[in-house]
């Protein structure tokens, strides 16, 4: 049984096989010597599902409390017509928090995939003709606790085969922002990887963390792209040249969000950043590459 282990020095999370319990060695993130506990934890999937349930219950409870208080204040002092903007702001805040949580789960799943395979997943697996056949979003389903769904997907058929197409409507909720209408009505994903020669998803076999010369905290893995028009199983993502549009640019495919604060993005260290509409193209391109050696300025991080 694997052990979910957190480094006491840098708080990096990883999964350790049972054979390494009780042994010591360097942390994959900070390099400091750590000792793995002897007692393994429950399965990663069950732990993550429990954390997701707790987060949802906490958000719903808080939203109900805030909404109830605002409704009471509105009835007493301002009336129903003036309360609508306040309720809209409350919904927007809830959507932002859920979107943030989605990207953190995706980033954690990508790190778990790296821990188990020695590298991040490739952007896609090619078919016999060399064309993209299977998305990274399908490959990390086991790390998201979606083993049953993964078992129904056929890797010996293309993503749009008659069997695999049936799974399009079963998109895991983690792949859709609640503020993105396309994710609800069409099962389009709200989260895309950035593709390019020097990005995290370039190498056909997937990149190891040792390739991230710029540092995991400074390298983007997945960005928010509402109304992307890309089905969650479709092996298509955001091309590097789309970054030239900036955040909420004019093109159909771009880093885009309806959140007031900006678009969310996950970095290779498992954190989530907020990219405002004023984020420069130079910064976006610097963070999208693994080895540019650029100086990356701080952005909103959670």
């Amino acid at each position: 049984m694997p052990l979910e282990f957190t480094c006491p020095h840098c708080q990096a999370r990883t999964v350790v096989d049972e054979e390494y319990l009780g042994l010591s060695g360097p942390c994959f993130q900070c390099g400091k010597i750590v000792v793995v506990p002897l007692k393994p934890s429950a399965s990663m999937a069950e732990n993550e599902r429990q954390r997701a349930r707790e987060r949802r219950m906490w958000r719903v409870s808080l939203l109900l409390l805030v909404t109830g208080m605002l409704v009471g204040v509105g009835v007493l002092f301002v009336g129903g017509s003036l309360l609508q903007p306040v309720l809209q702001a409350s919904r927007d805040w809830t959507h932002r928090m859920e979107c943030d949580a989605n990207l953190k789960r995706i980033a954690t799943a990508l790190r778990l995939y790296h821990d188990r395979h020695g590298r991040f997943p490739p952007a896609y697996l090619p078919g016999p003709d060399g064309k993209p056949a299977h998305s990274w979003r399908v490959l990390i389903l086991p790390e998201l606790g979606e083993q049953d769904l993964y078992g129904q997907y056929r890797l010996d058929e293309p993503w749009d085969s008659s069997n695999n197409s049936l799974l399009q409507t079963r998109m895991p909720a983690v792949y859709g922002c609640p503020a993105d209408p396309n994710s609800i009505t069409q099962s389009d994903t709200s989260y895309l990887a950035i593709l390019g020669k020097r990005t995290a998803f370039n190498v056909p076999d997937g990149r190891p963390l040792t390739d991230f010369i710029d540092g995991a905290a400074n390298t983007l893995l997945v960005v928010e792209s509402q109304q992307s028009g890309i089905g969650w199983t479709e092996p298509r993502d955001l091309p590097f040249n789309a970054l030239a549009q900036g955040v909420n640019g004019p093109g159909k495919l771009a880093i885009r969000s309806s959140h007031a604060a900006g678009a969310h993005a996950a970095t290779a260290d498992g954190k989530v950043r907020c990219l405002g509409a004023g984020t420069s193209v130079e910064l976006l391109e610097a963070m999208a590459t693994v080895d540019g050696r650029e100086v990356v300025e701080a952005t909103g991080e959670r």
Side-chain angles (χ1 to χ4, degrees):
M1 180 182 296
L3 169 71
E4 180 184 2
F5 177 66
T6 301
C7 174
H9 304 292
C10 67
Q11 305 305 309
R13 293 173 58 193
T14 187
V15 174
V16 180
D17 289 335
E18 188 173 1
E19 60 184 294
Y20 297 110
L21 301 184
L23 301 180
S24 61
C27 170
F28 75 93
Q29 179 72 17
C30 67
K32 296 181 180 181
I33 299 300
V34 295
V35 178
V36 181
L38 289 172
K39 184 179 180 180
S41 63
S43 70
M44 285 297 300
E46 181 57 34
N47 283 348
E48 186 56 41
R49 284 194 294 270
Q50 179 61 29
R51 283 193 291 269
R53 286 193 294 267
E54 292 173 352
R55 286 197 299 267
R56 286 195 295 271
M57 291 177 63
W58 179 81
R59 293 190 190 99
V60 170
S61 298
L62 183 58
L63 177 60
L64 290 174
L65 175 61
V66 172
T67 302
M69 294 174 63
L70 292 174
V71 169
V73 172
V75 170
L76 291 174
F77 298 103
V78 298
S81 62
L82 298 180
L83 188 60
Q84 187 60 35
V86 180
L87 294 176
Q88 182 60 48
S90 179
R91 283 193 293 270
D92 292 343
W93 178 85
T94 303
H95 289 164
R96 289 202 313 274
M97 294 301 100
E98 188 65 31
C99 185
D100 182 278
N102 286 345
L103 271 171
K104 284 180 179 176
R105 281 193 64 198
I106 293 172
T108 298
L110 287 167
R111 289 297 296 254
L112 290 174
Y113 185 100
H114 182 283
D115 292 344
R116 290 169 180 166
H117 299 276
R119 56 189 62 239
F120 288 109
Y124 61 83
L125 293 180
D129 57 0
K131 296 181 180 179
H134 309 291
S135 170
W136 62 270
R137 286 176 288 272
V138 172
L139 300 182
I140 67 169
L141 285 175
E143 283 70 34
L144 288 170
E146 297 285 353
Q147 186 65 52
D148 180 66
L149 184 59
Y150 182 73
Q152 296 178 52
Y153 186 94
R154 296 178 182 173
L155 290 172
D156 58 347
E157 300 178 2
W159 69 275
D160 55 355
S161 69
S162 57
N163 175 80
N164 291 339
S165 293
L166 295 175
L167 303 180
Q168 173 66 16
T169 58
R170 296 182 56 190
M171 181 179 78
V174 70
Y175 284 141
C177 173
D180 184 356
N182 282 24
S183 72
I184 300 172
T185 62
Q186 303 176 43
S187 295
D188 287 349
T189 182
S190 305
Y191 309 111
L192 304 178
I194 301 175
L195 306 183
K197 291 182 179 180
R198 293 167 54 211
T199 67
F201 283 85
N202 170 55
V203 180
D205 294 329
R207 285 191 186 274
L209 273 171
T210 51
D211 283 358
F212 290 64
I213 297 176
D214 291 345
N218 298 323
T219 306
L220 296 175
L221 283 180
V222 181
V223 296
E224 187 180 1
S225 183
Q226 291 190 19
Q227 298 182 294
S228 67
I230 296 177
W232 76 275
T233 60
E234 185 177 356
R236 186 160 65 98
D237 286 273
L238 187 71
F240 185 86
N241 58 16
L243 300 180
Q245 304 177 57
V247 178
N248 292 334
K252 181 179 180 181
L253 198 59
I255 298 178
R256 178 178 290 107
S257 173
S258 61
H259 306 311
H264 294 122
T267 48
D269 63 344
K271 300 290 181 61
V272 173
R273 294 173 179 253
C274 184
L275 304 173
T279 304
S280 68
V281 172
E282 291 75 17
L283 177 58
L284 294 176
E285 293 180 343
M287 294 188 68
T289 58
V290 300
D291 57 358
R293 302 179 186 275
E294 305 95 340
V295 177
V296 176
E297 63 188 61
T299 59
E301 179 180 299
R302 288 181 294 280

